[in-house]
Amino acid sequence: MTEEKKPGTGFPPKGAYLVINSQVFPIKQELVKIGRKLDNDLVIQEPLVSRYHAEIRLDDDKFHLHDLESTGGTFLNQKKISSSVLYSGDIILLANVPVMFIDDSANLIIPAEEPTGHLT
């Protein structure tokens, strides 16, 4: 996938973040590996988090969360998943660690019109 970059920044144009407690982790690449082992992009030092727990991929302008057959499981909005699309405000639970996904480029107008129809 060829993602257009912001001039001079080297980062994808989407502004996506993971929020863990009071820490904000900006997503700056198309693949973010999450786990307890130090060679992950996002390291979570919690014994119940697997060494290679999950990953977030940017595919077709959408972020996807994938469980990497973790021991404690990966949950999205209180449902166990193996893979799912992420939406801004989603709560990811990695074993017992809550993580909020924020996508500040999300277009909230289109999804709101889909279930209700155009208001006149």
Side-chain angles (χ1 to χ4, degrees):
M1 180 181 152
T2 58
E3 181 77 2
E4 185 178 315
K5 310 285 185 204
K6 286 184 181 176
T9 64
F11 301 141
K14 285 191 165 241
Y17 308 88
L18 297 173
V19 181
I20 305 171
N21 295 321
S22 61
Q23 295 181 331
V24 177
F25 177 83
I27 297 176
K28 297 180 181 179
Q29 55 210 43
E30 293 181 3
L31 173 65
V32 175
K33 296 179 182 182
I34 305 168
R36 197 176 71 241
K37 202 152 188 225
L38 294 177
D39 60 348
N40 285 288
D41 300 304
L42 176 57
V43 177
I44 300 176
Q45 291 296 331
E46 176 66 37
L48 296 176
V49 172
S50 294
R51 290 176 291 215
Y52 300 103
H53 199 103
E55 64 186 22
I56 295 175
R57 289 180 180 266
L58 179 63
D59 292 320
D60 298 325
D61 288 332
K62 292 182 182 174
F63 289 96
H64 298 260
L65 174 65
H66 302 277
D67 180 72
L68 299 177
E69 299 181 11
S70 63
T71 305
T74 298
F75 295 79
L76 183 62
N77 300 322
Q78 301 179 3
K79 294 181 183 176
K80 189 171 184 174
I81 60 102
S82 59
S83 182
S84 183
V85 173
L86 288 170
Y87 296 97
S88 191
D90 280 346
I91 302 296
I92 302 164
L93 193 63
L94 304 171
N96 63 343
V97 178
V99 179
M100 179 181 278
F101 174 77
I102 302 292
D103 183 355
D104 67 6
S105 68
N107 187 344
L108 300 178
I109 295 170
I110 293 171
E113 284 184 351
E114 289 174 5
T116 62
H118 182 68
L119 301 176
T120 55

